[in-house]
Structures are given as structure tokens and as C-alpha cells.
Amino acid sequence: MIKSLRIFTCLLLFCLFFNESGLAQQQRFKAGIIAGLNASQILGDDSGGYNRLGLQGGLRAITILTPKSDLFFEILYSQRGSREKLGSPLCFNGQIDIVTEYIEVPVMFTFKDWLDEKGDFYKVQVSGGLSYGRLLSASAIGSCHDELTDSFNKNDLSIAFGASFFTNEHLTFGARWSRSLNLLYNREKGPFSPINPSDPDSPLTTDNNPNSLRGFFLSFRVGYIF
């Protein structure tokens, strides 16, 4: 991941150099800074609603494919999880508070429309693609999964769809919806619970294990494109 950050930093500097050169009319690459807020939830944690708020921010590198389409990737720090004040109806551990932190790398195809002829930029962009996330840390309080965070999947693959509005050629406001394709916690892979916890020789079963977990989140973002 450190190597990826170094490569991205070099790419960002490369793009900035072209922005300052006399090659603007032939420009094929751009770069930007992204900052925003995540509203997330986890399917399977006995709670509902996008109640866990977290930060998201990082860098974007853009390749211009055609006047109306781009391909970009980002390197982002992203906080996710779930939160429920009423707690779980099954575990009775108090307020649910699951926090996960990721380094996230979305790769997105973008289509642009609504040309501002005066400013020579497109106001609206819609995008879709895949995102890879690497789990940095996880904690859980009040859930059925409090003792299972070490078994959370370190890798996350998500689909993502978003839209953004440009007020000028540099400043953009947008939203993105993301859903994990793989499980954050897979109950079939344990750790398994004994049928009779008081008997150390009791056989293990998945029936007593908490639900599998899958993440969802919405991102509300502001960006500056150089």
C-alpha cells in the first residue's frame, strides 16, 4: 500500500506539471483532491439505517478518454461501520457501535453532460466502477460480533455508482453509493461456537454463530480538480 501511495504521489506531481505547461489544450491527465463524509451500515448486525458517520478523503488521478468520458482512480482513507442507539434485539449488549477503517482504491468510468459553453466544462458527471479496500483496523461494541473483529475480512471488493455536479471546471460536489461484493464476516468460516458452551468437548457448529456481515455506505464529497 505504501508503494501505491508513492506511485500515486508521483502521478499527481506529473499531472500538476502538465497543468502548468503549455500543453493544456492537449491535456490527457488531471489530478484532484477529494474530501467528504461517509454514512454507512452493515447488513447482518441487527440494526438498520445509514447511522455510522465517518470521514473520507484522498487523491484522484484522471485519464481523459474523450471530451465526454474519463477514467479515474482514487486513493482514499475511509471510515465505515454501523451504529444503533437501541442496540441489538438478540445480543442485549447496549448501543451497537462498529467502526472499520480502510484504505480504498476506486477505479471508475465517468460520463459527462450539460456543457457550460461559456466556461467550456461539463456540469454533470455520472460514474460507475469497482473499488478495492484494505482493512486497517476494526472495533465493535454492543454487537453480536464484539469478539470477532480479528476474523473480519481484510480485503473488500465493492461496486460503486455516483454522480457529481461541477460549479466550475475545478470545484465539484457529489454523492456515491457503494456495496461490498464480499463479506466483512463470513459465519461459515468461523470461529465456530460449541453447541453447549459449558461442555469443552461439545461439537462446534455454525448455528450458534452471529450473522454474516456485508457493508454498504453512501459518500457525500467535495473535490477540487487541478
Side-chain angles (χ1 to χ4, degrees):
M1 188 58 64
I2 294 176
K3 183 178 179 181
S4 298
L5 290 172
R6 290 175 179 172
I7 293 173
F8 190 89
T9 301
C10 292
L11 180 59
L12 177 63
L13 294 174
F14 177 79
C15 295
L16 290 175
F17 171 79
F18 272 94
N19 279 335
E20 296 297 329
S21 73
L23 299 177
Q25 60 183 357
Q26 301 177 7
Q27 185 178 348
R28 300 290 294 178
F29 302 98
K30 292 184 178 181
I33 300 174
I34 304 297
L37 188 69
N38 289 338
S40 57
Q41 67 169 316
I42 298 177
L43 180 65
D45 67 346
D46 302 315
S47 67
Y50 292 85
N51 298 322
R52 162 52 59 192
L53 301 181
L55 299 177
Q56 184 186 86
L59 304 174
R60 176 185 293 183
I62 304 167
T63 298
I64 301 172
L65 302 177
T66 71
K68 299 188 71 172
S69 64
D70 296 336
L71 183 68
F72 70 80
F73 79 92
E74 298 168 335
I75 293 183
L76 305 171
Y77 168 75
S78 182
Q79 295 177 332
R80 310 181 202 168
S82 69
R83 187 171 183 268
E84 177 56 66
K85 292 182 178 181
L86 299 179
S88 168
L90 299 177
C91 296
F92 307 105
N93 292 333
Q95 176 178 289
I96 295 175
D97 194 2
I98 301 176
V99 180
T100 56
E101 297 178 282
Y102 286 87
I103 290 293
E104 182 183 350
V105 184
V107 179
M108 309 282 286
F109 174 81
T110 296
F111 177 79
K112 300 177 283 189
D113 207 350
W114 191 3
L115 177 65
D116 184 313
E117 296 182 358
K118 183 177 180 180
D120 194 25
F121 68 94
Y122 288 96
K123 293 184 177 182
V124 174
Q125 297 187 3
V126 294
S127 57
L130 296 173
S131 179
Y132 168 75
R134 180 68 178 179
L135 183 65
L136 299 177
S137 66
S139 63
I141 299 174
S143 75
C144 299
H145 300 78
D146 290 3
E147 308 300 325
L148 300 172
T149 54
D150 288 341
S151 299
F152 283 3
N153 196 337
K154 300 298 183 183
N155 301 297
D156 176 74
L157 182 64
S158 303
I159 56 171
F161 300 95
S164 57
F165 180 82
F166 279 73
T167 59
N168 58 50
E169 64 177 321
H170 299 293
L171 187 61
T172 176
F173 298 88
R176 181 182 296 171
W177 175 84
S178 301
R179 176 188 186 275
S180 295
L181 296 175
N182 59 325
L183 296 173
L184 173 62
Y185 172 75
N186 188 344
R187 71 190 300 267
E188 299 299 328
K189 295 184 178 180
F192 298 154
S193 301
I195 294 177
N196 182 3
S198 62
D199 181 2
D201 296 323
S202 177
L204 302 181
T205 176
T206 60
D207 294 340
N208 296 336
N209 271 2
N211 296 328
S212 293
L213 300 178
R214 188 187 304 275
F216 298 78
F217 66 100
L218 295 168
S219 301
F220 303 94
R221 304 135 56 82
V222 59
Y224 187 86
I225 309 301
F226 297 101

